[in-house]
Amino acid sequence: MDSAAGAGDVEMRPDDLPDGLVIADELGHIRCFNAEAGRLTGSVPTAMLGRRIQEALPLEHTDGRRWWLVTDPYQASAGRSGEPEHHLLLPGGKEVLVTTRYLRTAPGGPLHRLVLGLRDAGTRHRDERSDAELIATVAHELRSPLTSVKGFTATMLDKWERFTDDQKRLMLQTVDSDADRVTRLITELLDVSRIDSGRLEIRRQPVQLAEAVRRHVETLVNGGLPADRFTVRVAADLPGVWADPDKIDQVLGNLLENAVRHGAGTVTIELDRVPPRDHHQEGTAVTVSDEGPGIPEEAMHRVFTRFWRGSDRSGTGLGLYIVKGIVEAHGGTVTAGHGARGGARFRFTLPAGTPAFMV
């Protein structure tokens, strides 16, 4: 490979690779410098050809040590085959992930080719920050209910005889509620893990969406919300839906709780038939809208991402991320927008029909 794009008629060219590729010969002169390497380093690939690799890529460790002086591939032991991935700095402070391979003419022989793979460290840092934020969020959300549980149980064990039956019942109800809160958080974390790894299991069976919606509304009303806070509209002749009833309950629960917690006024739930079109099968759409402040336009593209939370910043910010994962696992879609009366509007669709294994 004697050019930036690679020489010869080959199926895969260096410029086709998603990672940066730099290859130097036995004397340390660059023979390949692909387009992605040029993008990462801010260099013109063709201008790098023929230059000594140590000069073209003056890489440093984050503590300021010159990587080439520490590593020196051309003086490395003949038994070494390369270096694992390192976080290294380019001139200007840009961080890249660098992996090296030493190609030899024969086992134990001199270095014939030095191959460097370069990747942008930004994605890795974003993933690490996301993981750190998840840990911090979980720790924060767990601390409050566990502190409450520990406090009440310790108090009851220490002073059981001093409390009336009503006081004991109140404390036990609080412990029970906090235990439910911890259980919900653990369920959310497991769902996030399964969604991220593509292992979310869907157990399909016939689901009556209208009945499920009414059941959720009834639960909220029994919990103390006024019945006139909700309006349910169901279109006639809705197609049958095969879905996981527990997962759909999760979706409805999240959307209705969001509308109640972050919205205002009447919460409207509409079920409509989605006609078949553009090679898509028919289905059922569920729309949940409120009359609250709605979603800021600048945040609209982030509502289904991890840790997005409404204006009051309550909760873990995982609920809508899980909603999207569950709906898409069913082959459906979910969108967010503005309601007719200015509030938030969430709409998800589920395809109709019988699963292939039932046909």
Side-chain angles (χ1 to χ4, degrees):
M1 296 182 187
D2 293 325
S3 72
D9 295 327
V10 294
E11 293 184 2
M12 176 65 72
R13 302 177 306 155
D15 281 352
D16 295 330
L17 298 174
D19 295 337
L21 176 67
V22 180
I23 301 176
D25 62 18
E26 66 276 9
L27 298 178
H29 296 123
I30 295 176
R31 297 304 178 191
C32 174
F33 202 98
N34 75 346
E36 179 63 10
R39 187 191 71 81
L40 291 173
T41 62
S43 305
V44 178
T46 53
M48 296 293 103
L49 300 179
R51 293 186 59 184
R52 287 186 59 79
I53 191 166
Q54 295 94 326
E55 299 170 356
L57 289 176
L59 298 165
E60 294 184 353
H61 286 280
T62 54
D63 60 6
R65 294 177 298 154
R66 293 292 297 274
W67 187 67
W68 294 104
L69 294 178
V70 175
T71 305
D72 198 355
Y74 291 91
Q75 299 298 323
S77 167
R80 289 169 60 186
S81 60
E83 292 284 334
E85 188 176 76
H86 287 282
H87 286 74
L88 299 175
L89 299 178
L90 290 166
K94 181 175 182 177
E95 191 170 356
V96 290
L97 303 173
V98 181
T99 307
T100 57
R101 290 291 178 266
Y102 304 160
L103 304 182
R104 304 182 185 277
T105 54
L111 188 64
H112 176 64
R113 285 285 189 270
L114 174 63
V115 181
L116 274 70
L118 308 179
R119 290 195 297 138
D120 191 341
T123 300
R124 173 75 60 83
H125 285 323
R126 285 191 292 272
D127 290 342
E128 291 173 351
R129 284 196 297 269
S130 179
D131 290 342
E133 188 172 357
L134 178 59
I135 293 171
T137 299
V138 170
H140 174 76
E141 291 296 320
L142 283 174
R143 183 182 297 115
S144 177
L146 290 179
T147 299
S148 172
V149 168
K150 178 63 177 175
F152 277 117
T153 53
T155 300
M156 285 190 292
L157 287 171
D158 185 47
K159 303 176 181 179
W160 179 262
E161 301 298 334
R162 299 184 186 181
F163 296 114
T164 66
D165 288 344
D166 287 341
Q167 289 173 324
K168 292 173 183 177
R169 184 178 298 107
L170 177 61
M171 287 189 283
L172 287 173
Q173 288 173 341
T174 303
V175 169
D176 184 63
S177 175
D178 286 331
D180 287 341
R181 182 175 166 188
V182 172
T183 300
R184 284 196 300 271
L185 177 58
I186 292 172
T187 300
E188 284 187 345
L189 294 174
L190 290 173
D191 285 335
V192 167
S193 174
R194 291 170 184 142
I195 290 169
D196 288 347
S197 62
R199 294 184 293 106
L200 187 66
E201 189 173 355
I202 302 298
R203 302 178 183 273
R204 296 179 186 269
Q205 63 186 66
V207 173
Q208 299 298 322
L209 285 175
E211 291 181 10
V213 167
R214 292 189 178 103
R215 187 175 64 252
H216 277 275
V217 170
E218 183 180 353
T219 299
L220 291 169
V221 171
N222 290 339
L225 292 173
D228 60 4
R229 177 83 191 272
F230 303 93
T231 297
V232 179
R233 299 174 184 155
V234 181
D237 301 323
L238 291 177
V241 171
W242 282 71
D244 187 319
D246 293 334
K247 295 291 188 292
I248 297 306
D249 276 343
Q250 229 179 316
V251 170
L252 291 172
N254 266 312
L255 294 181
L256 288 172
E257 286 175 16
N258 272 350
V260 169
R261 182 185 305 159
H262 303 296
T266 302
V267 176
T268 303
I269 307 100
E270 301 169 282
L271 285 79
D272 299 295
R273 177 178 172 270
V274 178
R277 61 186 178 190
D278 299 330
H279 307 291
H280 293 287
Q281 67 189 95
E282 69 172 345
T284 297
V286 180
T287 305
V288 178
S289 55
D290 61 67
E291 299 173 356
I295 304 168
E297 195 63 44
E298 63 274 13
M300 194 67 72
H301 68 287
R302 295 189 288 109
V303 295
F304 295 110
T305 60
R306 281 186 183 187
F307 311 121
W308 185 84
R309 287 170 284 197
S311 57
D312 62 0
R313 308 297 294 170
S314 63
T316 61
L318 298 175
L320 292 177
Y321 178 81
I322 293 171
V323 164
K324 183 174 186 290
I326 290 175
V327 171
E328 291 182 348
H330 281 82
T333 59
V334 60
T335 58
H338 301 294
R341 299 189 179 184
R345 175 180 181 271
F346 290 92
R347 175 183 174 89
F348 71 90
T349 64
L350 296 174
T354 306
F357 66 84
M358 296 291 292
V359 176

